[in-house]
Amino acid sequence: MKKTLICITFALVMTLPVGAGILCIPAVDEWLDTGSGYEFFTPLFQALDSHGSETNSDIIFGTLYTVSFTLSLMLAAALLAIVSRWRRTHRH
């Protein structure tokens, strides 16, 4: 339980920097600027009954932060596994 809470806390702390890092990737910026990014999100806009540009932006940023949290959680779990294995091998 303790490791799970540490992992989730670390992932929450890393969510904003990872999201900012994703937005700094030139391909993501170009993808959203060309309009194909908005076409990709069209089914989600329709499913959430979005009718305006502000709502569309909220959905895109919400999706971005969900993806960045998921990536952060995977990184935190991998880091925790590496540290745990390193500590076990150096104790003996």
Side-chain angles (χ1 to χ4, degrees):
M1 181 70 175
K2 181 180 170 184
K3 288 183 179 181
T4 305
L5 288 175
I6 290 170
C7 193
I8 290 172
T9 303
F10 191 58
L12 285 171
V13 169
M14 288 180 18
T15 298
L16 287 177
V18 170
I22 291 172
L23 283 177
C24 288
I25 298 173
V28 173
D29 189 37
E30 180 181 320
W31 180 62
L32 289 172
D33 283 344
T34 59
S36 57
Y38 285 96
E39 290 174 15
F40 176 79
F41 285 106
T42 300
L44 190 58
F45 295 154
Q46 292 171 351
L48 296 174
D49 198 30
S50 172
H51 294 293
S53 62
E54 284 186 26
T55 309
N56 292 350
S57 297
D58 292 343
I59 292 170
I60 290 172
F61 281 112
T63 305
L64 168 74
Y65 289 128
T66 303
V67 168
S68 65
F69 175 75
T70 305
L71 286 173
S72 298
L73 191 60
M74 290 188 312
L75 286 170
L79 183 64
L80 188 63
I82 290 168
V83 169
S84 295
R85 180 172 286 167
W86 181 77
R87 289 182 70 195
R88 276 187 299 215
T89 58
H90 282 70
R91 282 187 184 171
H92 301 295

